[in-house]
Amino acid sequence: MNLQFQGARINGIQLVLPKREVSFDSEASSYDFSLQQSAKLKAVLGFDRRRVVADDVTCSDLVVAGFEALSRDGLLDLKTLDALIVVTQTPDYLIPGTSYVIHGRLGLRQDMLCLDINQGCAGFVVGLTTAFSLLNQKAIRRVALVNADVVSRLVAFGDRNSRPIIGDAASITIVDATSDESLIYGNIKVDGIGWDALMVPAGGMKIRPNTQTAIPEIDANGNSRALDNLVMRGDAVFNFVMKEVPTMIHSLLENGGVALSQVDGFAFHQPNPFMLRKLAEKLGVPLEKMPMDLVRKFGNSSGVSIPAVLCTNFEASYFEQPRVMCLAGFGVGLTWGSLLINMSKISFLNVLEV
Amino acid sequence: MDKIIAELCEIFEVSELPVDVRFEDLPEWDSLNALSVIALLDSSYGIQIDAARLQKFGSINEFAQHVLSNRK
């Protein structure tokens, strides 16, 4: 589906990373890989360093710290927020939505809209399109889009396919109404047939967590995980991404009347460097225009990956002149979405470590 | 035929590959190599295949025949 927006701009992005870093080297012995396999996994899939929260840290903890830092640094007056969108797959509670918990902890004003969206890998694109839509309301001039995930808490210790790449993070993106008339183009698609390619089987209403759902079982690839844990069919995701994402990007650029070579940067979701390299090759994007080192340095932080790429690979000063950016997220759902956006005069692209 | 076997040798980092065995019979067979084979088929042969299907081929020879007759 082609989308089009006007009158909205990204003002600034605050990334929040847990200080706690774990390395693949320190965990490799628990996965039963050979030395040769470990070396190859590090080189190809980017198994290296990742940031994870402590066992009792939640999304709202990261997000509240991020908002408090923005407020303290004079970058954001919390009273100017008209809407708060929280995109997460790892909410603090089943009920209520995490946006309300954050609203309460920050003491935000009553005259605003709170919204929770359950999305992961495409969560920044889905969240931004929602923020842009809300800005059509006269009463909504500023939206805080929060992306937050602590997926490390759901990944089994013995899941050697997924655990070495999973990182935790949160981001706060301030989206403002603007009189600037430049258009933002978007494209979103869904294939719900693949809803079980990335999932946590137990914990919702279908399978309540109990002593049985906590017992790990070993699969054909040597992964040990329980129904309470994240399960990801990596090969299914890879094939879907290679089939759908290049087509989507071509369609997005055509719709926006922009040639591939005119795009200044491609900030894509970060499943692993292998998949990003294959995507860049298939699209014909020069590797230096598509950052792909997030997994290696910080881990794949799900819906936070795109803002994390922007905050760790670009300076705000880079956007003093307008830059044409192509953002794309793809995964859980299955969903794939992209945006073609002119980013300029970005007030801040900050990284806070907590 | 020789080309795809050479490409598989490169992925598995071996100089020779027994073509009458199944993928999972190879000591080098693991999920990363499976992903590398899947990526090779996508980029060089225009074929999309999942890991479970790869393991169903009766032999690497049968796999190679399938790839050559289904390439796009």
Side-chain angles (χ1 to χ4, degrees), chain A residues 145-353:
Chain A
L145 166 63
V146 164
N147 291 86
D149 265 312
V150 290
V151 179
S152 77
R153 294 185 58 186
L154 288 176
V155 180
F157 195 73
D159 188 335
R160 57 191 216 162
N161 281 8
S162 300
R163 188 159 175 262
I165 57 163
I166 295 293
D168 301 324
S171 64
I172 299 163
T173 306
I174 303 302
V175 188
D176 286 348
T178 172
S179 54
D180 178 353
E181 290 181 350
S182 75
L183 292 172
I184 300 167
Y185 296 90
N187 192 311
I188 290 194
K189 291 197 178 187
V190 183
D191 180 7
I193 300 280
W195 64 267
D196 62 349
L198 284 133
M199 75 176 299
V200 179
M205 294 306 119
K206 194 76 179 176
I207 306 174
R208 301 301 300 140
N210 57 52
T211 48
Q212 294 300 310
T213 62
I215 299 171
E217 286 185 32
I218 296 177
D219 75 1
N221 291 318
N223 297 295
S224 169
R225 59 172 98 82
L227 291 174
D228 291 342
N229 299 127
L230 175 82
V231 51
M232 176 158 62
R233 295 210 321 269
D235 58 327
V237 175
F238 178 86
N239 277 328
F240 135 73
V241 168
M242 288 304 144
K243 181 159 172 260
E244 304 294 355
V245 174
T247 314
M248 167 178 68
I249 299 299
H250 289 308
S251 156
L252 175 77
L253 297 181
E254 190 183 332
N255 190 30
V258 169
L260 195 78
S261 59
Q262 291 173 292
V263 178
D264 294 304
F266 294 81
F268 279 23
H269 172 58
Q270 304 274 305
N272 60 58
F274 178 80
M275 214 189 280
L276 285 163
R277 182 172 280 267
K278 295 287 170 193
L279 256 186
E281 284 169 3
K282 204 160 181 173
L283 275 166
V285 170
L287 296 183
E288 64 273 16
K289 279 193 180 180
M290 189 189 287
M292 43 186 76
D293 58 358
L294 193 78
V295 162
R296 214 179 284 287
K297 289 179 178 166
F298 305 108
N300 167 355
S301 45
S302 199
V304 193
S305 58
I306 297 172
V309 163
L310 292 170
C311 288
T312 58
N313 286 274
F314 298 89
E315 301 285 336
S317 58
Y318 175 74
F319 296 99
E320 264 164 29
Q321 50 178 301
R323 305 286 183 175
V324 181
M325 299 296 289
C326 178
L327 318 178
F330 34 81
V332 67
L334 300 166
T335 310
W336 54 112
S338 54
L339 287 167
L340 184 66
I341 181 169
N342 248 315
M343 287 177 66
S344 68
K345 298 192 179 67
I346 303 292
S347 319
F348 55 92
L349 286 175
N350 287 356
V351 182
L352 172 75
E353 298 188 70

Side-chain angles (χ1 to χ4, degrees), chain B residues 21-68:
Chain B
V21 303
R22 300 156 70 96
F23 276 118
E24 54 192 320
D25 297 329
L26 298 169
E28 296 83 8
W29 183 246
D30 61 20
S31 56
L32 176 59
N33 285 336
L35 184 60
S36 301
V37 173
I38 290 168
L40 169 73
L41 295 189
D42 177 75
S43 61
S44 302
Y45 297 90
I47 297 173
Q48 296 231 321
I49 216 165
D50 62 24
R53 176 73 183 94
L54 281 182
Q55 298 192 23
K56 283 195 189 115
F57 287 107
S59 67
I60 289 174
N61 200 15
E62 191 187 308
F63 160 81
Q65 297 290 356
H66 172 87
V67 171
L68 294 180

